[in-house]
Amino acid sequence: LLPTAAEIPTIEIEHVESDPDGEIGFRGVGEGGMIVAPAALTNAIEDALLPFGAKVTEQYLPPAKVLKLAGII
């Protein structure tokens, strides 16, 4: 069963602010996790389509494009 609010412990959230460093005025904008996601997803789709001989060369992969790569349409 999935845990519900009754089973999950209380989570304490703290926010720490610090002065930005450098001339630009910002540090690590927090998008590091988003940079890898599209490439990982594209590689996973290419791995899944490997039996069909598909070679994925771009990251824009709507369903119709995936079906075309698989040779279905």
Side-chain angles (χ1 to χ4, degrees):
L1 297 173
L2 291 175
T4 64
E7 289 85 29
I8 298 175
T10 303
I11 299 173
E12 294 182 23
I13 299 173
E14 296 182 17
H15 184 75
V16 178
E17 290 188 28
S18 59
D19 293 332
D21 297 328
E23 295 178 19
I24 299 174
F26 63 86
R27 294 186 313 231
V29 182
E31 297 174 358
M34 294 301 296
I35 294 171
V36 181
L41 184 58
T42 302
N43 285 331
I45 291 171
E46 184 173 44
D47 287 347
L49 295 177
L50 191 61
F52 301 100
K55 180 72 177 160
V56 178
T57 58
E58 58 183 293
Q59 288 185 346
Y60 179 67
L61 294 167
K65 176 83 172 183
V66 174
L67 292 173
K68 188 173 181 180
L69 286 167
I72 296 172
I73 61 171

